[in-house]
Amino acid sequence: MKLDRNYFYTLNNKKYLIIILLISFLIHLVTINFQPVNDEFIFFKGADFIFTLEKKIVNIFFEYNANTLGFSYIIAFFKLILPFLETSQISKLLSFLSLFFFASSLTKIYIIFRPKISFKFFILFVLLNPLIWNYSFRGVPDAFSASLCLFAVSNFLYYRNLKLKYLYILIFSLGVMIKPFNGILLLIIIYSHFFFKKENQIYFLLLFFNCIVILYFIFNYYFFGFFITPPSFSDVFEPSTKVYLVTFISYLGFIFFLSYPFFLKTIFLYFSKSYIKNILFYLFVILLSIYISQKFDLNLTEMNFGFISNFIDYRIFKVVILFNSLLLIFLTWLILRGKDKAKLLILIVSTLVFVIIMSFTHSAQRYLMILVPLIYVFFIRH
């Protein structure tokens, strides 16, 4: 995997990135004192527990929240350094920092995979993706953990210095301690080692990661009585085969949403620019989606369009999800028929394993945030 390490700088995109991030920061400052929404407040409570060690507070935290205290530990740490800030402000600033981590990741991902799109558009599409943009405003750990893990993996693959690799494994471990399922991204490092570039001391690096994460969850069990998920949420997140297919389909549907509008070009080219063939193809997929939605009951839990879901009939919503899922399967087949599949297989294997594992448990579209840059590369690079 030969990398042009000056590519990003010769394109003079550093100034462009700074402007995008500065504008984003100013917009975020406007909303930093907005009232907490959904589960934001619970992470402030977690930080309060770390300062007071009151058992009542931590009981409230685990009653309303399925996460460990990982994000709250970081909030508390910065509260010690910046005592003049409220915990609510710190949590939102941490989420905003995710845009910096995502931006750094994107520069490395762009150099490694060279998608057929200008760097400026690539940055813009990813950072302004509604999923990333929305959660970078909120005092919850989703964007922070996803960006940390992606930052660590992309820089691990990019740099050759062994000491830096240990640093990035440490950062990756931190992201996994906050949101354990993001650890699935470790597959990219393993895949790259065996099929592209042999990493020095790869087994020591993986052992280093496992030791940090395992020790953290043992610590969690010793003090709170569980490893990853609190008992109050064990039923919600318990692996289940009953809803597996529904969850798998819903994840595929939302992955396809994240690829808009790039898929249009692929299908258009496949049908030799024939409008009639394009129309007939889409009509067939729509009819098939309607048939499946009526034949099977689809309970999509947290997979929705946010506030827009209030204005969409649930039957239409199911058809849209199925329509997207079928198109994703078709497009994956098309892209794999093309050339230069080796690097794309990294993205396909990682995404597929991520979805297969996550489909056994509770589904939510925010879990896919970490895949957004990889999905864009997958659909652009063909």
Side-chain angles (χ1 to χ4, degrees):
M1 200 188 306
K2 188 178 179 181
L3 306 177
D4 180 358
R5 298 176 183 275
N6 297 314
Y7 186 65
F8 166 65
Y9 299 100
T10 55
L11 287 174
N12 196 27
N13 287 315
K14 198 171 184 179
K15 189 185 295 184
Y16 175 78
L17 253 184
I18 291 171
I19 292 171
I20 292 290
L21 292 171
L22 183 60
I23 293 172
S24 301
F25 179 66
L26 293 174
I27 295 172
H28 278 58
L29 279 182
V30 174
T31 68
I32 197 168
N33 288 319
F34 282 13
Q35 287 296 313
V37 296
N38 297 337
D39 294 332
E40 284 182 319
F41 81 95
I42 206 65
F43 297 100
F44 317 153
K45 281 284 185 185
D48 292 338
F49 162 74
I50 293 161
F51 289 118
T52 63
L53 297 179
E54 289 186 27
K55 192 172 181 179
K56 186 172 88 171
I57 296 177
V58 80
N59 288 339
I60 293 172
F61 180 88
F62 290 127
E63 182 181 349
Y64 289 97
N65 173 56
N67 295 277
T68 67
L69 282 163
F71 191 56
S72 295
Y73 288 137
I74 298 173
I75 295 173
F77 172 77
F78 281 101
K79 177 66 176 175
L80 287 172
I81 299 173
L82 307 167
F84 54 89
L85 290 177
E86 298 293 330
T87 51
S88 61
Q89 295 172 328
I90 292 171
S91 66
K92 290 181 179 179
L93 287 172
L94 287 173
S95 289
F96 170 72
L97 275 178
S98 65
L99 291 183
F100 284 87
F101 288 121
F102 274 124
S104 174
S105 307
L106 295 174
T107 61
K108 312 303 186 300
I109 290 170
Y110 191 85
I111 293 170
I112 293 170
F113 292 99
R114 298 291 178 89
K116 294 179 181 179
I117 187 174
S118 76
F119 177 79
K120 292 179 181 179
F121 278 117
F122 182 60
I123 285 284
L124 207 59
F125 274 122
V126 175
L127 294 187
L128 297 186
N129 179 279
L131 201 57
I132 290 176
W133 182 256
N134 177 44
Y135 278 95
S136 66
F137 275 84
R138 297 174 56 185
V140 291
D142 301 272
F144 188 68
S145 171
S147 64
L148 272 185
C149 290
L150 197 66
F151 169 81
V153 170
S154 59
N155 281 277
F156 183 96
L157 295 177
Y158 184 78
Y159 291 107
R160 293 167 182 161
N161 186 291
L162 187 60
K163 291 179 181 178
L164 281 178
K165 288 184 183 292
Y166 275 100
L167 172 64
Y168 292 127
I169 284 291
L170 184 62
I171 294 171
F172 184 74
S173 303
L174 179 61
V176 172
M177 287 187 285
I178 297 170
K179 284 283 186 180
F181 61 81
N182 285 329
I184 300 171
L185 216 63
L186 193 67
L187 285 171
I188 293 180
I189 291 175
I190 296 170
Y191 186 100
S192 174
H193 169 72
F194 285 106
F195 293 97
F196 288 103
K197 182 179 63 175
K198 297 291 182 183
E199 299 286 354
N200 293 327
Q201 299 188 23
I202 183 67
Y203 297 109
F204 286 104
L205 288 164
L206 294 177
L207 180 64
F208 181 56
F209 164 75
N210 283 315
C211 286
I212 295 171
V213 173
I214 291 171
L215 283 174
Y216 173 74
F217 290 120
I218 289 174
F219 169 88
N220 203 64
Y221 179 81
Y222 180 79
F223 284 99
F224 306 115
F226 65 90
F227 288 105
I228 299 176
T229 307
S232 55
F233 286 88
S234 58
D235 291 339
V236 177
F237 288 91
E238 184 180 2
S240 171
T241 55
K242 291 181 181 178
V243 294
Y244 180 83
L245 187 59
V246 172
T247 308
F248 185 77
I249 289 171
S250 62
Y251 271 128
L252 291 184
F254 268 89
I255 284 175
F256 196 73
F257 269 126
L258 299 176
S259 73
Y260 283 99
F262 303 115
F263 74 94
L264 293 171
K265 177 185 173 185
T266 307
I267 293 178
F268 186 69
L269 291 174
Y270 178 72
F271 289 109
S272 305
K273 302 179 183 180
S274 168
Y275 290 103
I276 295 176
K277 288 181 180 178
N278 268 279
I279 292 170
L280 289 175
F281 170 75
Y282 283 119
L283 182 61
F284 169 75
V285 177
I286 289 172
L287 291 175
L288 183 59
S289 302
I290 292 171
Y291 171 76
I292 295 173
S293 69
Q294 292 178 343
K295 193 78 174 174
F296 302 98
D297 181 36
L298 299 177
N299 181 15
L300 301 175
T301 60
E302 289 189 56
M303 306 295 271
N304 54 56
F305 300 145
F307 74 93
I308 300 175
S309 299
N310 298 324
F311 307 100
I312 301 176
D313 188 287
Y314 189 67
R315 290 170 295 182
I316 296 174
F317 176 65
K318 289 193 295 183
V319 171
V320 172
I321 291 294
L322 285 164
F323 176 76
N324 283 345
S325 301
L326 293 171
L327 284 183
L328 178 65
I329 294 168
F330 177 72
L331 279 176
T332 303
W333 173 73
L334 283 185
I335 292 171
L336 285 177
R337 293 176 67 219
K339 298 178 180 179
D340 196 17
K341 293 183 290 188
K343 286 184 180 179
L344 287 178
L345 280 173
I346 298 179
L347 309 181
I348 295 168
V349 170
S350 303
T351 301
L352 189 59
V353 172
F354 187 94
V355 172
I356 287 172
I357 293 174
M358 295 303 293
S359 296
F360 279 107
T361 183
H362 184 75
S363 59
Q365 68 268 44
R366 65 182 181 275
Y367 298 159
L368 297 172
M369 199 182 315
I370 198 168
L371 299 178
V372 170
L374 307 182
I375 291 164
Y376 276 10
V377 169
F378 176 65
F379 281 101
I380 297 169
R381 184 185 170 84
H382 62 274

